[in-house]
Amino acid sequence: MDRTLSLKNSFCLSCRTIRTSSSIGAFTGGIMVSEIPLAKLPDIQSKVDGLAHGVLIPLFFAFIGFLINPYTLKNTGSFTLLIILAALSGKLAGGFIGSKVIGFDFYESLIFGTGVMPRAGVELVILTIGRELQIINQETFSSMVLMVVVSILISPICVRWAVQARQRKNG
C-alpha cells in the first residue's frame, strides 16, 4: 500500500512540475495502480472504497464548499440562472436524443436524459483547477459550483417524475 501511495504521489508531483493539475497525476497514477494484481483483490478494493467514500470524497466536497463565496452569487443572479438552465437542459437533451437514436422509446429516453443530468466530480475538479490558475474568477466559480449542486439535487426528482410518467402511460 505504501508503494501505491508513493507512485500516486510521484505522479502528482510530476504533473505539478510540468504545471498541470495534481488531480491529473493522481488519476494517471490510479490507472497505473489499477493494473497491479494486488489492487484487484476484493479486500483491497473494499478498503480503498471505504476510505474514498468515508473520508476523501466528503473532504473534497467540503473543500469545494470552503472555496465558494456566497456573497458573489447575489451579483451574478441572471448569469447563474442561465448557467443552471443551460447545463440541465443540455444534459437532458443530449441524453434524450442519444438514447432515442439507439432505439429507446420516449419515456425510456426521458428517464435516461434526466438520469445523466447530475454534474459533479469532473466538473468540480476542472473548476478548481481553473480557479487555481486564475482562468475563472470567483463569481464564475461560485455560479458553476451552484450549478453542480442544483443538478445533484434536482436530478433524482426529475428521474422519479419521468419514471412515474412512464408508469402512468403504461397504466
Side-chain angles (χ1 to χ4, degrees):
M1 193 67 153
D2 289 334
R3 287 184 183 166
T4 301
L5 288 175
S6 296
L7 181 63
K8 289 177 85 172
N9 287 340
S10 61
F11 272 100
C12 290
L13 184 60
S14 299
C15 283
R16 277 299 211 201
T17 303
I18 60 171
R19 297 192 179 267
T20 61
S21 172
S22 58
S23 301
I24 294 168
F27 179 72
T28 305
I31 291 171
M32 301 296 284
V33 169
S34 73
E35 294 303 313
I36 298 172
L38 182 64
K40 303 269 189 223
L41 296 175
D43 184 48
I44 299 291
Q45 288 180 339
S46 134
K47 287 178 182 172
V48 170
D49 189 61
L51 177 65
H53 286 91
V55 178
L56 300 177
I57 294 172
L59 279 175
F60 172 71
F61 282 102
F63 171 72
I64 297 297
F66 289 140
L67 295 177
I68 294 175
N69 182 349
Y71 299 107
T72 62
L73 290 172
K74 70 179 180 179
N75 299 329
T76 62
S78 57
F79 172 73
T80 302
L81 184 60
L82 182 63
I83 290 290
I84 292 169
L85 291 175
L88 293 177
S89 60
K91 289 280 268 201
L92 173 64
F96 182 87
I97 293 168
S99 56
K100 283 295 281 178
V101 167
I102 62 169
F104 287 17
D105 70 22
F106 176 84
Y107 289 99
E108 291 169 333
S109 297
L110 186 60
I111 292 168
F112 186 80
T114 56
V116 297
M117 280 187 349
R119 298 170 173 267
V122 174
E123 286 86 354
L124 291 175
V125 169
I126 291 170
L127 287 169
T128 304
I129 293 167
R131 184 179 175 277
E132 286 174 9
L133 296 174
Q134 298 178 343
I135 295 170
I136 58 174
N137 61 24
Q138 183 62 43
E139 291 83 8
T140 303
F141 178 80
S142 296
S143 295
M144 298 294 280
V145 171
L146 182 61
M147 175 270 299
V148 169
V149 170
V150 169
S151 75
I152 290 169
L153 294 174
I154 200 166
S155 294
I157 297 165
C158 293
V159 170
R160 187 176 318 117
W161 172 81
V163 168
Q164 289 171 346
R166 183 176 85 185
Q167 289 171 340
R168 281 192 301 274
K169 183 222 175 234
N170 292 338

